[in-house]
Amino acid sequence: MKRLVLSVLGCTLHIECGCTFTHRLVASNFGLLIDDAADDPVRTYRVVRQDSRYFLNDGDGHTREWNDDGALLYDLEKTLTIDLQRLRQDLLFIHSGVVARDGRGLLLVAASGTGKSTTTLALRALGFDYLSDELAPIDLNTGQVLPYPHALCLKRIPPGQSGYPPGGLQTSRTFHLPAELLTGGRRPTAVPIAALVFLERGAEGAACRPITAAEAGARLYSEVLNALAHPAHGLDAVLSVTARIPAFRVTMAGVSETAVAVAGTLPTAGARAGVTR
């Protein structure tokens, strides 16, 4: 077994890989989270490949079987995300991409398939730092969003996408850009939230408009992953965020045009950044 030691949100996780192929697959997705000096693990997972089948043991004695590497990686990612929510119930987990510039973070909130990852990649070309493409753990006491720099996952490479570095990993289902390629090998740190950006598709060109705290609260609550871990089923936590942080609705168009519209929310947002309970 080849072992990967991950340090994620202050938790140590071990992933035991049964062969070189599965080790490379998992390392490509979580490479920036590897920390061989981390403490004893709170969870241990096992990934095994036998012929054309893949097996994931989730650490609770349950083993699931998949017939392709894309399904395995998706299941492993989902399992880790759920376990992190149990281990860090103090955090508010949002289904969101996260980028930052000048030490201020933007949350890119949208339903799956809308284009968060594609927009996140395009923002990198505009000078933004990559923190995550789908998970935003918010520390409600400090008002900061913590990084979750796994590999950025794309269903396909957008034609003519700027800022795309070589060296990604193709699975049966998706294309993964290792986070170290996006950050230059630097592990990102927590940043205060400067704005909430809600992405949605539209028939017209890219457009950005501010929205009220009430609308932002309704939109944000629908993307909370661990609402039941917080008082009032997470509603108080969400409102503490949207009451203090500017929020914008961005109608998406072309990738570059959308990224410019999102980037334009940052200067306006700076004055009220931060959340405290």
Side-chain angles (χ1 to χ4, degrees):
M1 286 284 175
K2 295 177 177 289
R3 176 177 293 174
L4 290 169
V5 180
L6 308 185
S7 179
V8 193
L9 304 179
C11 303
T12 301
L13 310 175
H14 283 184
I15 303 178
E16 297 178 342
C17 302
C19 64
T20 300
F21 177 84
T22 53
H23 182 270
R24 182 177 67 86
L25 180 71
V26 176
S28 294
N29 199 62
F30 299 108
L32 205 58
L33 298 170
I34 294 175
D35 182 2
D36 291 330
D39 298 330
D40 293 336
V42 292
R43 298 288 290 176
T44 298
Y45 312 90
R46 177 170 293 183
V47 177
V48 177
R49 180 188 188 189
Q50 294 180 0
D51 299 323
S52 60
R53 306 294 291 175
Y54 297 87
F55 300 86
L56 169 63
N57 184 292
D58 62 9
D60 287 326
H62 305 122
T63 299
R64 294 185 291 275
E65 180 180 350
W66 302 100
N67 60 6
D68 64 84
D69 56 351
L72 169 72
L73 202 54
Y74 174 82
D75 190 27
L76 177 60
E77 181 86 57
K78 182 176 68 175
T79 300
L80 263 64
T81 299
I82 292 173
D83 283 345
L84 287 169
Q85 292 171 46
R86 293 169 177 160
L87 293 166
R88 292 298 309 269
Q89 295 186 34
D90 56 308
L91 302 176
L92 182 68
F93 286 83
I94 306 293
H95 176 221
S96 170
V98 186
V99 295
R101 189 166 67 186
D102 301 326
R104 295 182 294 164
L106 296 181
L107 265 61
L108 310 180
V109 188
S112 295
T114 303
K116 290 188 303 298
S117 297
T118 304
T119 304
T120 298
L121 183 58
L123 284 164
R124 175 183 173 274
L126 297 180
F128 282 81
D129 298 322
Y130 172 72
L131 276 73
S132 177
D133 74 330
E134 67 172 21
L135 186 66
I138 299 175
D139 186 328
L140 296 165
N141 294 313
T142 66
Q144 293 186 316
V145 57
L146 282 62
Y148 182 69
H150 68 154
L152 186 145
C153 178
L154 298 170
K155 294 179 177 62
R156 62 183 181 85
I157 300 297
Q161 173 65 62
S162 60
Y164 161 62
L169 173 70
Q170 182 76 55
T171 75
S172 60
R173 301 184 178 197
T174 47
F175 193 89
H176 299 258
L177 290 173
E180 49 267 40
L181 297 180
L182 300 171
T183 68
R186 178 184 57 84
R187 185 164 178 166
T189 58
V191 294
I193 305 168
L196 306 170
V197 180
F198 296 91
L199 302 173
E200 59 182 36
R201 296 192 178 278
E204 302 177 357
C208 175
R209 68 172 180 86
I211 60 176
T212 65
E215 180 180 349
R219 288 173 173 265
L220 190 65
Y221 190 76
S222 68
E223 299 298 332
V224 174
L225 301 178
N226 66 333
L228 297 182
H230 298 275
H233 290 182
L235 184 58
D236 290 348
V238 167
L239 294 179
S240 74
V241 174
T242 59
R244 299 173 182 270
I245 296 176
F248 301 85
R249 174 184 169 189
V250 171
T251 304
M252 303 172 68
V255 175
S256 298
E257 186 181 358
T258 299
V260 170
V262 172
T265 67
L266 190 58
T268 305
R272 289 199 291 140
V275 182
T276 55
R277 261 185 171 170

